[in-house]
Amino acid sequence: MTTSPTASTSPAPGGTATLLGHHVLGPELPAVPYDHPFRAEFRGWLQQHPLGPEPLEQDARIAHRRAWHRELAADGWVGLHWPVEHGGRGADALTQFMYYEELALAGAPEPANTPGLILLGPTLMVHGTEELKKRFLPGILAGDEAWCQGFSEPDAGSDLAAVRTRAELVGDEWVVNGQKIWTTFGQYADLVFVLCRTTPGSERHRGLSLLVVPADQPGVTIRAIKQISGDEEFCEVFLDDARAPRDWVVGEVGQGWAAAMTLFQFERGDQGYTDHARMLVRLAGVERRLAESETAGLVSSVRAATARARHRDLWVRIQGLRLLNYRGAVLATSGEGLGAVGSMTNLVWGELEKELGAAVAEAVGACGLRAGRHDTHERLHTRAASIYSGTSEIQRNIIAERLLGLPR
Ligand SMILES: Cc1cc2nc3c(=O)[nH]c(=O)nc-3n(C[C@H](O)[C@H](O)[C@H](O)COP(=O)(O)OP(=O)(O)OC[C@H]3O[C@@H](n4cnc5c(N)ncnc54)[C@H](O)[C@@H]3O)c2cc1C
């Protein structure tokens, strides 16, 4: 891909350790060394593949990320944690964790095809047939086929078991009818994984199936929804006699809930692997701008000190997230599964993300930092962090019931 050498691929000022914090993540977890050979190897690759700044405009941003995904994939830098038989490197939790940290430190985006790479791909490995794995996994890794998640409906969000979209087997095809909503980047997707009712008259979590539906067909209409940030990140998806091949079912017919729960585990663990490092990079950036403003006499020392106190508090809490993320990575890789621990990560991540967005906006407003369009965009976008992949209230319910054993 054509790039300009503007992205910073060098370690942050003060060194990686200063930026990321202490490298021992808990007595029972292995340390994450900063001088690990994997970091040096990947950092070397990143330095040879510098990436220009990410465009703010959505279509350009998506194109930029997809090109980046393909560039990473071409050299085997996508899906490190996937088993070798499925095109990955069979990397362990430590490697996967360092991979995401190094991407964030380099200011590089993650691979683009998140719904495929993090959600559907790993779920297929657990529940999919050999044919489905062969058909879909290579395209996910290479970034050739983009996916979106068709779970939420107008009356089924937190209460996902209320899903009403239905599919009926007609000959060799499923005929799907219903509506999905809040479908992230649906307008760019080639394939939608749809949770729908395949047993007529069934209720709640029984009688559901997870179907793969091609997006480009007359029965699928995808309409983007404009958000406050200016993005059109999510969409409405209308399924009117949409067709899907009979065999494109992930897991058993009627057992879609089990597949969906597996997928949620991946979804709730994933936020983690990387986002603490991105948060720390953002925090370091705002601190740097604060210092510049102070030197230029644009901010009083009292205001600057107040902002710094808040940033320090956030830094400490992001370190807590780093620990949770690493635990999550270890659990996910061990095959033990994240279970309700994923809800802890998700809750801490979502709330911190919002607070960081607010802290940056406040530093910009109160301390006279030069406001960039990215600041405003991020401030507005981070408001959604406690909603998607399950709201903070739902995560708290799960933690209360499953981890703390409190009554419903
Ligand atoms: C940016 C973004 C991207 C998204 N991407 C996707 C996607 O790609 N695919 C997809 O399928 N969905 C997606 N979603 C949808 C997301 O999963 C839902 O918004 C979320 O699950 C909440 O559902 P809801 O919006 O229907 O709110 P509701 O479930 O109606 O909740 C409304 C409020 O009530 C609270 N509440 C509900 N039930 C309880 C309860 N039992 N206890 C306590 N409080 C409760 C909620 O916490 C919330 O505050 C996305 C959402 C956002 C914001």
Side-chain angles (χ1 to χ4, degrees):
M1 110 189 237
T2 316
T3 55
S4 65
T6 49
S8 154
T9 46
S10 57
T16 311
T18 309
L19 187 74
L20 291 179
H22 204 273
H23 73 277
V24 178
L25 288 168
E28 76 281 29
L29 298 172
V32 184
Y34 294 123
D35 55 357
H36 195 284
F38 172 82
R39 285 195 194 270
E41 186 195 351
F42 190 36
R43 218 173 263 180
W45 187 90
L46 287 166
Q47 274 163 357
Q48 282 163 13
H49 295 77
L51 185 73
E54 188 161 271
L56 201 58
E57 194 274 319
Q58 181 173 299
D59 286 347
R61 185 162 19 106
I62 298 299
H64 181 85
R65 286 194 185 183
R66 287 185 80 164
W68 178 236
H69 181 123
R70 283 195 281 268
E71 193 167 341
L72 285 163
D75 285 343
W77 290 110
V78 175
L80 270 68
H81 59 307
W82 282 27
V84 175
E85 61 178 303
H86 296 311
R89 296 188 181 198
D92 61 9
L94 178 71
T95 310
Q96 180 71 3
F97 189 80
M98 291 187 290
Y99 167 79
Y100 278 126
E101 286 195 337
E102 289 302 321
L103 270 179
L105 288 174
E110 293 167 33
N113 198 4
T114 312
L117 194 63
I118 307 292
L119 306 183
L120 203 269
T123 306
L124 263 181
M125 290 179 215
V126 177
H127 295 280
T129 59
E130 286 311 309
E131 286 70 30
L132 286 189
K133 289 181 212 169
K134 271 198 207 111
R135 164 64 184 83
F136 293 122
L137 294 180
I140 292 175
L141 265 196
D144 292 339
E145 282 180 323
W147 289 76
C148 67
Q149 178 182 20
F151 277 19
S152 304
E153 296 183 2
D155 292 317
S158 301
D159 185 16
L160 188 60
V163 154
R164 284 205 299 226
T165 295
R166 61 194 192 284
E168 187 190 350
L169 201 53
V170 179
D172 268 349
E173 286 184 320
W174 292 100
V175 179
V176 193
N177 282 284
Q179 189 201 333
K180 296 292 172 180
I181 194 165
W182 317 128
T183 316
T184 299
F185 296 142
Q187 67 273 56
Y188 305 104
D190 302 298
L191 297 153
V192 195
F193 48 91
V194 173
L195 189 65
C196 57
R197 219 159 267 294
T198 44
T199 308
S202 63
E203 283 185 13
R204 308 296 300 163
H205 54 275
R206 285 176 291 275
L208 295 166
S209 297
L210 186 58
L211 297 191
V212 175
V213 179
D216 185 15
Q217 59 166 307
V220 178
T221 308
I222 300 184
R223 228 164 42 200
I225 301 171
K226 186 105 175 169
Q227 289 164 258
I228 193 173
S229 62
D231 278 352
E232 292 182 343
E233 177 182 326
F234 44 44
C235 303
E236 293 174 292
V237 177
F238 299 93
L239 302 151
D240 299 302
D241 287 340
R243 309 279 161 157
R246 180 190 189 118
D247 299 335
W248 285 17
V249 185
V250 183
E252 300 290 317
V253 174
Q255 299 296 320
W257 191 252
M261 290 305 105
T262 301
L263 189 140
F264 274 138
Q265 287 210 10
F266 294 121
E267 182 161 24
R268 288 172 187 162
D270 154 64
Q271 306 291 5
Y273 288 359
T274 170
D275 277 2
H276 62 270
R278 291 190 187 278
M279 286 176 178
L280 291 166
V281 168
R282 267 154 67 198
L283 204 52
V286 85
E287 278 286 311
R288 216 163 26 238
R289 288 158 67 194
L290 187 59
E292 284 163 14
S293 267
E294 215 177 358
T295 309
L298 293 172
V299 55
S300 75
S301 52
V302 174
R303 274 202 191 282
T306 310
R308 277 200 188 101
R310 187 170 182 194
H311 298 166
R312 266 187 218 117
D313 172 58
L314 278 168
W315 190 90
V316 170
R317 290 165 56 209
I318 297 169
Q319 292 302 322
L321 176 63
R322 185 167 189 248
L323 172 56
L324 276 174
N325 288 341
Y326 188 54
R327 265 179 176 284
V330 170
L331 284 173
T333 310
S334 70
E336 201 177 309
L338 271 179
V341 172
S343 290
M344 278 169 57
T345 312
N346 210 273
L347 174 63
V348 172
W349 164 79
E351 295 298 324
L352 269 174
E353 181 80 354
K354 276 200 308 192
E355 279 191 53
L356 184 57
V360 173
E362 231 170 77
V364 168
C367 301
L369 307 194
R370 203 160 41 85
R373 282 173 70 212
H374 279 279
D375 292 327
T376 317
H377 180 266
E378 237 173 59
R379 165 75 172 127
L380 295 171
H381 187 260
T382 51
R383 299 299 301 161
S386 56
I387 302 175
Y388 56 90
S389 61
T391 67
S392 285
E393 290 77 22
I394 294 302
Q395 309 301 354
R396 286 195 176 96
N397 283 351
I398 295 172
I399 293 165
E401 288 165 26
R402 301 210 205 130
L403 289 179
L404 303 177
L406 297 175
R408 283 176 71 86

